[in-house]
Amino acid sequence: MDRTFLMVKPDGVQRGLIGDVIARFEKKGLKMVAGKFEKLPEERVLEHYAEHVEKPFFPGLKSYIMSGPCFLMVWEGKDVVAITRQMIGATNPAEAAPGTIRGDYALEIGMNVIHGSDSDETAAREIAIHFAPEEIAPYARIDEAFLYE
Ligand code: IDP
Ligand code: MG
């Protein structure tokens, strides 16, 4: 089954959005197989955002992401990467469609509530950065017979 890495960022945690974010993905039929509440250490922030470390916004991004705890998750489901990216919405909340998480809950690009992996390769890389294999607990959900044709 496909997997992705999702993370409620510090603004989402402070604004009490963890439960709503989880509920959206659960109701869609996706399955959380790992989750933890954590303040990210600097070395994992640098690894996670390796593609952005040279960008002008990185110092601000780093201090934001380390400003408080995040809620880190691994989710499973068919096409989970594409589906969750659609449900998250555009990077800039001002451009994110209504009905998406960023479209419904945020205003500016620097505080956009949630991270989601953007490809299967990125997902595998990000899951390995943040979770040890034994922290992931696969299981069958009883409604799967009514989700997958
Ligand atoms: P994504 O989160 O939609 O995948 P990326 O381009 O990978 O977007 O950027 C990672 C994160 O860096 C964004 O979610 C946002 O928090 C932050 N970011 C991206 N571009 C900017 C910017 O121009 N100014 C401030 N923060 C930015
Ligand atoms: Mg990205």
Side-chain angles (χ1 to χ4, degrees):
M1 194 52 84
D2 302 321
R3 283 184 178 173
T4 196
F5 173 73
L6 301 175
M7 180 173 79
V8 180
K9 296 177 177 180
D11 54 324
V13 173
Q14 293 296 333
R15 294 178 54 217
L17 297 174
I18 296 173
D20 184 275
V21 165
I22 290 175
R24 286 175 178 235
F25 297 130
E26 273 188 330
K27 287 183 215 167
K28 179 71 175 168
L30 302 171
K31 183 165 65 179
M32 181 157 48
V33 293
K36 60 182 171 186
F37 191 68
E38 194 181 21
K39 200 162 171 179
L40 293 186
E42 184 178 19
E43 62 270 22
R44 270 164 53 211
V45 174
L46 298 178
E47 261 191 275
H48 177 88
Y49 282 126
E51 64 170 325
H52 297 308
V53 285
E54 301 300 332
K55 304 217 175 119
F57 62 80
F58 185 72
L61 171 61
K62 185 180 143 195
S63 59
Y64 150 63
I65 218 73
M66 294 182 67
S67 66
C70 297
F71 190 70
L72 292 72
M73 299 165 279
V74 179
W75 284 77
E76 263 185 20
K78 188 177 175 210
D79 298 326
V80 67
V81 171
I83 288 170
T84 52
R85 288 287 290 195
Q86 274 196 330
M87 291 173 70
I88 287 168
T91 304
N92 186 348
E95 292 161 9
T100 64
I101 293 168
R102 288 167 174 168
D104 286 350
Y105 297 135
L107 292 168
E108 294 194 319
I109 193 165
M111 288 188 281
N112 58 8
V113 180
I114 181 167
H115 167 85
S117 310
D118 62 10
S119 69
D120 289 338
E121 296 68 36
T122 310
R125 193 181 79 82
E126 293 176 347
I127 290 167
I129 290 170
H130 298 289
F131 285 93
E134 62 270 20
E135 291 180 291
I136 300 172
Y139 59 99
R141 224 168 82 170
I142 58 167
D143 59 0
E144 280 166 7
F146 295 91
L147 287 164
Y148 293 104
E149 295 172 24

